[in-house]
Amino acid sequence: AVDEWTVPALTMLFQSRWCGCICFTYDPVCVQMWAHYANSHSGFVVKYERADNWLLRSSQCQPVKYRRRLAALEAQALALNSLWTKSEAWEYEKEVRLQYPRTGAYTAAGLLKPCGIIFGLRTSDADKDFLRSVSPNLRHGQIVFAGGPYQLKVKWHD
């Protein structure tokens, strides 16, 4: 049941000046993800190195649990649980979330180590050229069709 403390607890968590949340996926070739979050395949994806990053291996980085509904919990537990829970309709995202503290000018994004950039099916040549120029030490990949309709793969350019 939702009580008078639930909404303020959720609002405090999601609008906090002290913590933030970054979302990732395990699946770089999910057609829906490219459509929803990369401007219909015209954007790009940044691939991060997980093995060498303490934040991405910490308990603050967890896979999202997909449920029909949130369990009935007290307000504080509901706020924390809701960060790691989404409707099962979103299960295709295979999402992982990192909750991190904001410390001055530094946020978790500045502490992550990118290891690659993947261009969408419709990423413009100008955007690709720009991204290659600012990331010469990263691997660059291109989303391409992989056989049947709606099947994609990453073709890495070494």
Side-chain angles (χ1 to χ4, degrees):
V2 176
D3 58 31
E4 69 268 13
W5 298 105
T6 301
V7 173
L10 290 171
T11 301
M12 184 179 73
L13 176 69
F14 293 118
Q15 294 180 351
S16 173
R17 290 184 179 158
W18 298 281
C19 71
C21 179
I22 298 176
C23 303
F24 306 92
T25 181
Y26 284 114
D27 186 2
V29 295
C30 177
V31 175
Q32 298 98 316
M33 295 287 281
W34 280 98
H36 294 161
Y37 300 113
N39 195 18
S40 293
H41 301 263
S42 64
F44 63 94
V45 167
V46 177
K47 181 177 179 181
Y48 290 98
E49 182 61 52
R50 185 170 189 254
D52 295 338
N53 189 280
W54 63 272
L55 271 175
L56 295 179
R57 291 182 291 112
S58 74
S59 63
Q60 295 305 104
C61 189
Q62 298 179 28
V64 168
K65 296 173 193 85
Y66 299 97
R67 305 283 189 254
R68 282 194 191 138
R69 57 182 142 326
L70 287 173
L73 301 169
E74 292 184 27
Q76 183 179 10
L78 179 62
L80 292 173
N81 193 38
S82 67
L83 180 67
W84 312 109
T85 307
K86 282 178 91 169
S87 165
E88 62 187 9
W90 296 97
E91 196 165 6
Y92 69 87
E93 289 186 337
K94 298 178 185 165
E95 186 177 343
V96 175
R97 291 183 178 175
L98 169 63
Q99 180 185 12
Y100 63 91
R102 296 179 195 215
T103 54
Y106 298 99
T107 61
L111 301 174
L112 301 178
K113 181 181 174 184
C115 63
I117 295 179
I118 304 170
F119 305 119
L121 289 169
R122 296 182 184 96
T123 306
S124 73
D125 289 340
D127 288 346
K128 290 178 191 179
D129 290 344
F130 173 75
L131 289 165
R132 283 186 192 106
S133 75
V134 297
S135 62
N137 298 325
L138 300 183
R139 286 183 82 194
H140 297 98
Q142 175 67 55
I143 291 292
V144 296
F145 289 108
Y150 309 113
Q151 294 179 340
L152 304 175
K153 68 179 182 179
V154 178
K155 180 180 177 186
W156 290 101
H157 304 285
D158 293 318

